[in-house]
Each structure stands twice: as structure tokens, then as C-alpha cells.
């Protein structure tokens, strides 16, 4: 009789592990989407801040007597645009990396859940065989 309870316990434990893995996968997928959204918002902030800084730079160049849109003034604006683009790309890349890590974590959790279910079923089957053999021969 104890084997029957052990079989049921193994099966319930396996199902619990499987459900936990599925839940953790869904949570990791949701987290990945939120990370991507936050990264897009941050990228927008970086671009907005860069546009404001470049606007101030243009205004300062004009007020200081530089010929705007030529020579070193143009070089400074070009470099500011390049830096702003690189900053925005870095923000996007970091968000993508964190989102990928969350998705991988979710896939690992799901695999662990699947393994728990398999182990529970194998354990339950083993206990059921033990129980059946004891009933037949015991």
C-alpha cells in the first residue's frame, strides 16, 4: 500500500514541477517583453536628450560667432550625432541582451519542469511496479 502512496506522491511532485516550469517560462517571457519596452523607452530618452544637446550646441555656436554648418562647427555637430547614435544603439543592445537572458532562463525553467514531470512519472511507474509485484508475489 505504501508503494501506491509513493507512486501518487511522485506523480503529484512531477506535475507540480512541470507546472512551476511552465509558470516560470511565462514569467520570463513577460519579463523579456518588459525589458525590451523599457529599453525602447530609454533609447528614446537618449535620442531626445541628444537632440536637445545638439540644439544647444548649434545655438551656442551661433552666439559665439561660429559660421554654423561649416568647418569645425559642422564637425562638432557630426560627432555629436555619431555619439548620440552609438549611445542609443548601446541602450538597445543591452536591453536585447537582458531580454535574451530572460528568455533563456524561461526555457531552462520549462526544461526543468519537463524533467520533473518525467522523473515523477518514472518514479510513479517504478512504485506501481513494486506494488503490483508485492501483491502478486507477496
Amino acid at each position: 500500500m505504501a508503494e501506491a502512496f509513493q507512486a501518487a506522491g511522485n506523480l503529484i511532485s512531477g506535475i507540480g514541477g512541470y507546472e512551476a516550469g511552465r509558470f516560470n517560462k511565462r514569467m520570463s517571457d513577460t519579463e523579456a517583453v518588459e525589458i525590451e519596452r523599457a529599453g525602447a523607452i530609454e533609447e528614446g530618452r537618449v535620442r531626445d536628450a541628444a537632440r536637445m544637446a545638439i540644439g544647444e550646441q548649434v545655438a551656442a555656436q551661433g552666439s559665439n560667432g561660429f559660421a554654423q554648418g561649416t568647418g569645425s562647427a559642422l564637425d562638432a555637430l557630426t560627432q555629436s550625432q555619431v555619439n548620440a547614435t552609438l549611445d542609443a544603439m548601446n541602450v538597445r543592445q543591452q536591453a536585447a541582451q537582458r531580454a535574451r537572458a530572460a528568455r533563456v532562463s524561461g526555457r531552462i525553467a520549462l526544461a526543468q519542469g519537463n524533467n520533473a514531470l518525467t522523473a515523477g512519472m518514472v518514479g510513479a511507474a517504478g512504485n506501481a511496479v513494486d506494488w503490483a509485484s508485492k501483491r502478486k508475489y507477496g
Side-chain angles (χ1 to χ4, degrees), residues 77-99:
L77 291 174
T78 301
Q79 188 60 49
S80 293
Q81 283 285 6
V82 168
N83 290 342
T85 301
L86 289 174
D87 289 345
M89 288 173 59
N90 283 334
V91 167
R92 183 185 308 172
Q93 180 184 22
Q94 289 170 4
Q97 287 172 342
R98 289 192 314 273

Side-chain angles (χ1 to χ4, degrees), residues 24-129:
N24 289 333
K25 166 98 170 57
R26 287 190 306 269
M27 291 302 297
S28 293
D29 288 345
T30 300
E31 179 184 6
V33 170
E34 292 301 318
I35 288 169
E36 289 168 338
R37 287 179 182 161
I41 291 168
E42 183 61 25
E43 180 184 355
R45 284 190 197 125
V46 166
R47 290 185 188 279
D48 289 345
R51 277 192 292 273
M52 288 184 355
I54 289 170
E56 291 172 4
Q57 188 178 4
V58 168
Q61 287 174 354
S63 69
N64 289 332
F66 279 97
Q68 293 175 312
T70 63
S72 62
L74 181 60
D75 292 342
L77 291 174
T78 301
Q79 188 60 49
S80 293
Q81 283 285 6
V82 168
N83 290 342
T85 301
L86 289 174
D87 289 345
M89 288 173 59
N90 283 334
V91 167
R92 183 185 308 172
Q93 180 184 22
Q94 289 170 4
Q97 287 172 342
R98 289 192 314 273
R100 269 192 307 278
R103 285 189 177 100
V104 167
S105 175
R107 286 193 294 274
I108 290 169
L110 182 59
Q112 289 172 333
N114 290 337
N115 291 340
L117 179 59
T118 301
M121 292 174 75
V122 168
N127 285 325
V129 168

